[in-house]
Amino acid sequence: MPTETITPRRLTRAERIGIALTSWANRLPPKLRFITPEFVGFAILGTFTFLFDMAMLAALLHWTALPFQVCVGLGYLTAFGLNYVLNRTMNFRSHAPVGGQLLRYAVVMALDFGFTLEVTELLHDAGLPAMVARVATACCVGVFTYVGARFWVFRKETVQD
């Protein structure tokens, strides 16, 4: 009777990069083991896309006459899209159908966007420089976004037999 051999799926370049960025989290001391590789990856990718957002906001404020809210919105939406692609491929390494994930991600994005736009403008109107207002707001939405991404958007799908 022939035996079947199962060849493991080869990791993509994005998956290998994600593992390289986060594998050290598995070697943390026991008291810090609550910091998972997925959280580390989310924080690294979130920081990268936030810096992208800030660069775009600065460029739009400097080189265009667009209203402040429009500049914040364009930078945020572009960075959020980039963050989705990077987290899906590098961090959560999801192979689930994109449709449902994208819909759930859009809900998280809409909630985050509304909060970001209003709070950033409120802080800016209160006298904070635009970039400081945006950083303060990002700190608030980061935790919500991780929880939404980890447990709802990129949740592990169970396979039915």
Side-chain angles (χ1 to χ4, degrees), residues 120-134:
T120 302
E121 184 177 17
L122 180 70
L123 294 173
H124 182 61
D125 289 347
L128 285 177
M131 295 303 180
V132 175
R134 185 62 187 88

Side-chain angles (χ1 to χ4, degrees), residues 64-112:
T64 72
L66 293 171
F68 179 71
Q69 278 191 315
V70 173
C71 293
V72 170
L74 287 173
Y76 186 80
L77 291 173
T78 304
F80 221 84
L82 177 61
N83 188 273
Y84 170 78
V85 171
L86 293 176
N87 268 297
R88 177 179 163 82
T89 59
M90 295 175 75
N91 189 36
F92 295 106
R93 298 185 282 284
S94 177
H95 297 283
V98 172
Q101 280 186 344
L102 203 50
L103 184 59
R104 290 188 299 269
Y105 194 75
V107 170
V108 172
M109 181 180 74
L111 292 170
D112 278 359

